[in-house]
Amino acid sequence: MKPAPFEYHRPTSLAATFDLLDRYGDDGRILAGGQSLVPTLNMRLVTPRAVIDINRLPGLDAIRVTPEGLVIGALARHEALEGSALVREHAPLIAAAMPHVGHAAIRTRGTLGGSLALADPAAELPACAVALDATIRVESRRGRRDVAAADFFRGIYTTALGPGEIVTEVVVPRAAPEWRSGFEELARRRGDFALAGLAARVRVAGVAVGEARFVFFGVGTAPVRARGAEAALAGRRADAGALAAAGRALDADLDPPGDIHGSPALRRHLAGVLLSRVIQRLAEDRS
Ligand SMILES: Cc1cc2nc3c(=O)[nH]c(=O)nc-3n(C[C@H](O)[C@H](O)[C@H](O)COP(=O)(O)OP(=O)(O)OC[C@H]3O[C@@H](n4cnc5c(N)ncnc54)[C@H](O)[C@@H]3O)c2cc1C
């Protein structure tokens, strides 16, 4: 199919972008990498009056380290995140997740801001942002607003973005060296959206886990923090007993949906498998 006719705008400044967003309101759609928007336009699932292409906004693809931490522009492509030495050093969780996002061709165009704004519940980057305690910076004619990733994802394809706002940057705070990260996902085929996935970070305290952050994706309407499993592991050695306790707690943390790709029971089982893989790997890394 071909998209319904739309006006096409390619602003070269944020001010001009905000003018267009004000002019079209709900009838204007931001275009970043186009990997999700263009298929929905072609299938006429969305029929905006105007498409506002932000690819010419200067500087929004930068990846840099500042006193705030690692700052990644919304237009940074998935491919750039995958190949960035700064991302590997300061946000290894994102580096580990990137090869799982679609296929290489998709990663050459898809952007960080697009993934976060889309808020697909099975996407990798929203879960990484929550696990990393990232801040999502959004801007509009009214100014700039920082939203904690934990508050940004509100449900299926639903975020805290308000009218006229766009994502401009993501700030990943500096982490102390004791923090380790682990990433796992299960999909039917490499490159598919996840049936279940886990973005994890733990703070190592001697031979024990000081603190843990387990953020699952593909098992809820938004990234799901498994607080029970985190508490079950905190302060313990990551041995078989702790692993079993975390697995039991995980059952209460999750309420996965069923769909044509998998039942709630399957997703619950997969989440348990991912949790034990991540914990075992993190325990091995420490030895
Ligand atoms: C075959 C296939 C497989 C895929 N597999 C995966 C996968 O496994 N995991 C995964 O996470 N993704 C996957 N994707 C999606 C891909 O990662 C997209 O890049 C991503 O979802 C959206 O990013 P984009 O830059 O392409 O955004 P676009 O498609 O341009 O935009 C997506 C939505 O976000 C809005 N938007 C974009 N940028 C901004 C911004 N800065 N501020 C506010 N709103 C904005 C747009 O208006 C639109 O509503 C897949 C896509 C395809 C086609």
Side-chain angles (χ1 to χ4, degrees):
M1 278 180 76
K2 295 275 183 269
F6 55 80
E7 293 170 35
Y8 174 77
H9 297 274
R10 194 164 57 189
T12 53
S13 69
L14 275 176
T17 306
F18 300 146
D19 285 344
L20 290 163
L21 287 170
D22 284 353
R23 190 193 315 168
Y24 291 103
D26 285 347
D27 244 354
R29 279 299 179 113
I30 295 288
L31 172 77
Q35 297 305 293
S36 299
L37 181 65
V38 171
T40 55
L41 286 171
N42 286 345
M43 288 185 275
R44 301 197 179 198
L45 295 172
V46 292
T47 53
R49 193 149 67 86
V51 167
I52 304 164
D53 179 347
I54 59 170
N55 282 277
R56 295 272 168 100
L57 293 186
L60 273 198
D61 58 352
I63 301 175
R64 59 196 206 283
V65 176
T66 75
E68 287 183 298
L70 180 70
V71 181
I72 309 176
L75 283 178
R77 311 264 174 215
H78 300 328
E79 185 187 50
L81 298 179
E82 198 175 358
S84 162
L86 288 178
V87 171
R88 265 199 308 280
E89 183 182 345
H90 297 281
L93 183 63
I94 293 180
M98 290 324 297
H100 297 272
V101 178
H103 307 279
I106 290 156
R107 296 197 294 272
T108 62
R109 296 298 305 164
T111 65
L112 173 63
S115 272
L116 301 180
L118 184 68
D120 189 306
E124 292 81 1
L125 286 166
C128 290
V130 175
L132 288 163
D133 266 332
T135 295
I136 298 174
R137 189 154 282 161
V138 306
E139 288 187 53
S140 71
R141 156 110 37 247
R142 302 179 294 282
R144 174 194 273 189
R145 195 159 75 85
D146 281 352
V147 185
D151 300 326
F152 187 78
F153 304 101
R154 298 273 170 91
I156 301 177
Y157 303 124
T158 309
T159 68
L161 276 173
E165 283 185 327
I166 67 167
V167 176
T168 51
E169 285 180 338
V170 174
V171 182
V172 178
R174 282 171 187 280
E178 314 83 76
W179 281 91
R180 308 278 155 75
S181 57
F183 185 91
E184 286 282 344
E185 88 168 50
L186 289 160
R188 277 175 190 274
R189 298 166 302 188
R190 184 86 179 181
D192 281 3
F193 277 98
L195 280 170
L198 170 59
R201 293 172 74 228
V202 299
R203 183 171 56 76
V204 174
V207 292
V209 169
E211 208 180 321
R213 285 193 141 238
F214 298 131
V215 183
F216 285 86
F217 54 99
V219 297
T221 57
V224 180
R225 184 128 177 234
R227 290 181 189 273
E230 291 174 2
L233 202 63
R236 297 181 66 165
R237 282 182 88 112
D239 55 15
L243 223 151
R248 281 192 300 276
L250 183 65
D251 247 4
D253 285 329
L254 303 182
D255 183 17
D259 58 26
I260 54 164
H261 304 294
S263 64
L266 174 72
R267 287 199 157 89
R268 209 179 265 288
H269 171 73
L270 296 181
V273 171
L274 296 175
L275 182 66
S276 75
R277 282 186 189 170
V278 162
I279 293 174
Q280 273 165 358
R281 185 148 318 141
L282 288 167
E284 283 160 18
D285 280 357
R286 224 178 42 235
S287 56

